[in-house]
Amino acid sequence: MKNFVVKTIANAGALAVAVWVLDKITLTGDSTPKKVGTLLLVALIFGLVNFIVKPIVKVLTFPLFLLTLGLITLIVNALMLLLTSWLAGRLDLAFHVDGLWTAILGGLIISVVSWALHIVLPDED
């Protein structure tokens, strides 16, 4: 349970950095607590998408992973971010990613920041 909370917080932090750095990834809200709540809910959605959908996509695109020497990972991460944005819109959460190139950059930022946060934050169960 503690590991799940730590991963969600790391995802929220990584998403916050992507929102802060990229203008076309937006998180809107009336107040800071609402923005934080929205960010945590989007982080939960992002975690579920990465847990459920991403492995399936990786298996289906395995030949492309071999052909591109893993560079297709950038596209897969971007698609997971776009799917998260779409699901957030369907759930009436104020999070939006505008375009594939923004999603690629956002996915790269989220991967790097999430990796760094997982090193810093405790990982025990």
Side-chain angles (χ1 to χ4, degrees):
M1 182 65 178
K2 189 175 184 181
N3 193 21
F4 174 75
V5 172
V6 168
K7 286 185 179 191
T8 302
I9 291 170
N11 278 340
L15 286 164
V17 170
V19 167
W20 178 62
V21 171
L22 299 173
D23 291 335
K24 292 188 176 182
I25 298 179
T26 56
L27 175 71
T28 55
D30 299 339
S31 63
T32 302
K34 281 192 176 186
K35 286 183 182 179
V36 170
T38 300
L39 196 58
L40 287 172
L41 288 172
V42 170
L44 284 170
I45 294 169
F46 187 66
L48 286 173
V49 165
N50 281 326
F51 181 72
I52 296 170
V53 179
K54 191 174 183 178
I56 296 168
V57 172
K58 277 186 168 183
V59 168
L60 294 176
T61 59
F62 182 71
L64 290 175
F65 275 93
L66 294 176
L67 187 65
T68 64
L69 301 175
L71 288 177
I72 195 73
T73 303
L74 293 172
I75 304 300
V76 170
N77 288 343
L79 292 174
M80 297 304 107
L81 188 58
L82 285 172
L83 179 59
T84 300
S85 174
W86 180 79
L87 287 170
R90 300 294 281 176
L91 295 172
D92 203 26
L93 296 172
F95 177 79
H96 182 68
V97 178
D98 187 27
L100 180 64
W101 288 108
T102 303
I104 291 171
L105 285 173
L108 186 60
I109 290 168
I110 290 168
S111 295
V112 170
V113 172
S114 181
W115 169 78
L117 287 174
H118 281 128
I119 287 176
V120 174
L121 293 172
D123 192 10
E124 61 214 32
D125 275 332

